[in-house]
Amino acid sequence: MATHNLLLLPGDGIGPEVMAEVVRLIDWFNAQGIARFETENGLVGGAAYDADKLAITDATMAKADAADAIIFGAVGGPKWDSVPYEHRPEAGLLRLRKDLGLFANLRPAVCYPALADSSSLKREVVEGLDIMIVRELTGGVYFGEPKTITDLGNGQKRAIDTQVYDTYEIERIARVAFDLARKRGNKVTSMEKRNVMKSGVLWNEVVTQVHGREYKDVTLEHQLADSGGMNLVKWPKQFDVIVTDNLFGDMLSDIAAMLTGSLGMLPSASLGEVDAKTGKRKAMYEPVHGSAPDIAGQGKANPLAMIASFGMALRYSLEMGDAADKVDQAIAAVLAKGLRTADIASEGKTVVSTSQMGEALLAELQALYA
C-alpha cells in the first residue's frame, strides 16, 4: 500500500477547527487500513506572521513542494489588517499558488437534496445542481504588473492593477475544463468580457481554437461574464463546466456558492501541470469559505467543505476515487438525517457543533465500509 504524504496548513480563524475534523478522518482511514497517510503541519497566513513575520516561510514552502497534496484551511482576519501589504495573510496563499504553479482552480457547486430549501433561490431552480467552475488561478489581474498606487499630488492618487494573459495560460486552463467536461455533461461555457477588454478578446479566441483543434466532441458556448453571473442566478442548471479567468472566477464561484445554500458547503482544488515523468501534479485543496473570525473557537464552523476538499484530494491526487465517492455519500447522508451546523440551520433540523458533525460523518463512513 502506497504512503501518501500530506501537508496540513490549518491557517487562521476557523481553519484549525475544520482541519481537526479532516485529521480525525485521516486517522480513521489509517486505523481501518484503507490507506496510509503521513502528515506534517505548517503555519500560513496570520499564524505564520505572528511566528515569523512572514505569511509563509521558505521552510514551509519546501514542505509544500515535497507533499503529495496540501490540505489548506483558511487565512486572514482583522487582527492582521495593519501588517505590511506584502506580508498580509493572503500573501501566503498567493505564494503557494504562484510558486507551485497551481494554475487550475476547480470549484464544484453541488446542491445536496437536503439543502435545496437553504438556497435563497427556489427549490426547482437549484435542486440537483451540479456544476464545476474552472478558474485560472496564477495569471490575470491578481498577478499582473504594474500593480501600483501613485501619489499624484493635490490629494489625488492613482491605483493600477494590470490584467495580463498569454496564449499558453488560456490554452492550459481550457484543456482542464474540456477534459473535465468529457467526464461530466460534455459541455463547457467560457466566460470573459470580450466586449470591453482585450484580454477577453484573446481569451475567447484561444478557447475557440483549442476546442476546434482538440475537443470538437465537447459542446462549447461563450457568455459575457456579467451575463453569465445573471444566468447563474436565473437558471444555473443550464451549466456543466464554466471556465473563466482569475477575477471573474473568484466572483462567479462565490455566486455559485450561495446557490448551494452556504459558502460553508463548497470545496475546491488547485492543480498544477502534470509532470511528464511521474504523472503527478502539485495540488492544494481548500474550502471556499474564509476564516470567519467572528465565530472562531465557538464550535459553530461547518467542517463539510473542508472534508469535501479532502475528498477532492483523494480523487484528484491520491487515486482513491472510491474513497472520495464514499466521503461524498457520507456528507449527503448526514444532511439527509437533518444534521446542520449553524450556517445551514433551518426549522425542524438538528443544530450540531463542528465536532459533532465530524463525528456523524465518520459514523456514516463506517457504515458505508461495513
Side-chain angles (χ1 to χ4, degrees):
M1 183 184 298
T3 298
H4 303 297
N5 298 300
L6 306 177
L7 176 63
L8 309 183
L9 299 175
D12 309 319
I14 62 172
E17 296 171 67
V18 295
M19 186 68 78
E21 302 312 311
V22 168
V23 170
R24 181 158 30 179
L25 184 57
I26 290 170
D27 290 343
W28 184 85
F29 274 117
N30 281 339
Q32 299 296 314
I34 297 168
R36 183 182 297 125
F37 296 110
E38 290 188 359
T39 62
E40 281 193 277
N41 290 274
L43 297 177
V44 68
Y49 183 81
D50 288 346
D52 302 298
K53 298 300 183 231
L54 295 168
I56 191 167
T57 65
D58 290 344
T60 302
M61 284 300 306
K63 292 179 181 179
D65 187 61
D68 293 321
I70 304 157
I71 314 297
F72 187 99
V75 293
K79 176 182 178 182
W80 301 283
D81 281 349
S82 61
V83 306
Y85 181 80
E86 64 273 17
H87 299 312
R88 69 201 188 283
E90 294 78 10
L93 178 58
L94 293 177
R95 184 179 176 190
L96 283 161
R97 291 172 177 173
K98 192 68 174 178
D99 287 10
L100 298 179
L102 307 179
F103 71 92
N105 187 221
L106 277 52
R107 293 193 173 191
V110 176
C111 185
Y112 292 94
L115 289 183
D117 290 327
S118 297
S119 172
S120 56
L121 301 184
K122 296 177 181 178
R123 171 178 279 272
E124 60 266 27
V125 175
V126 296
E127 188 171 23
L129 179 69
D130 182 0
I131 61 179
M132 178 71 79
I133 295 180
V134 179
R135 168 190 173 192
E136 200 290 323
L137 202 60
T138 57
V141 74
Y142 290 176
F143 292 98
E145 296 291 345
K147 182 184 290 290
T148 61
I149 297 178
T150 303
D151 192 333
L152 302 177
N154 299 320
Q156 297 295 304
K157 293 182 178 181
R158 175 177 295 146
I160 297 175
D161 291 288
T162 306
Q163 171 85 340
V164 179
Y165 272 110
D166 291 339
T167 299
Y168 81 93
E169 294 176 293
I170 304 171
E171 287 178 335
R172 66 184 184 180
I173 196 68
R175 290 190 182 101
V176 171
F178 286 125
D179 286 338
L180 281 169
R182 279 177 169 169
K183 299 174 183 177
R184 294 171 48 92
N186 216 41
K187 178 183 176 183
V188 170
T189 303
S190 176
M191 294 188 184
E192 28 62 17
K193 284 287 289 179
R194 63 190 181 276
N195 57 334
V196 292
M197 297 172 67
K198 289 294 186 181
S199 61
V201 173
L202 181 63
W203 185 282
N204 180 279
E205 175 185 306
V206 172
V207 171
T208 301
Q209 290 172 348
V210 171
H211 175 256
R213 288 196 308 264
E214 304 171 36
Y215 298 95
K216 288 183 179 179
D217 57 302
V218 181
T219 298
L220 171 64
E221 66 176 20
H222 297 276
Q223 290 191 22
L224 298 178
D226 51 349
S227 175
M230 178 194 71
N231 284 319
L232 267 173
V233 176
K234 181 181 179 181
W235 190 245
K237 286 187 281 188
Q238 68 184 275
F239 299 111
D240 177 28
V241 176
I242 295 172
V243 62
T244 189
D245 74 9
N246 207 340
L247 175 61
F248 295 137
D250 198 355
M251 294 187 291
L252 292 167
S253 59
D254 279 3
I255 293 172
M258 291 315 300
L259 303 178
T260 69
S262 171
L263 203 61
M265 289 299 303
L266 267 71
S268 77
S270 299
L271 309 178
E273 294 272 19
V274 175
D275 186 288
K277 293 181 179 179
T278 65
K280 295 183 178 181
R281 65 201 319 167
K282 305 295 182 188
M284 181 167 65
Y285 300 87
E286 61 178 305
V288 174
H289 64 68
S291 61
D294 56 318
I295 62 168
Q298 299 176 37
K300 294 180 179 180
N302 186 345
L304 294 180
M306 184 81 257
I307 290 169
S309 296
F310 178 68
M312 292 185 78
L314 297 175
R315 187 178 308 281
Y316 293 110
S317 284
L318 308 179
E319 298 182 357
M320 296 178 62
D322 180 66
D325 289 341
K326 285 185 167 57
V327 169
D328 289 343
Q329 292 165 25
I331 291 172
V334 295
L335 295 172
K337 288 185 176 179
L339 299 184
R340 303 285 188 271
T341 45
D343 60 309
I344 52 174
S346 58
E347 187 175 350
K349 305 303 181 185
T350 303
V351 177
V352 297
S353 68
T354 307
S355 61
Q356 288 171 332
M357 183 64 87
E359 289 170 5
L361 184 130
L362 274 184
E364 294 298 336
L365 206 56
Q366 182 78 54
L368 288 168
Y369 274 100

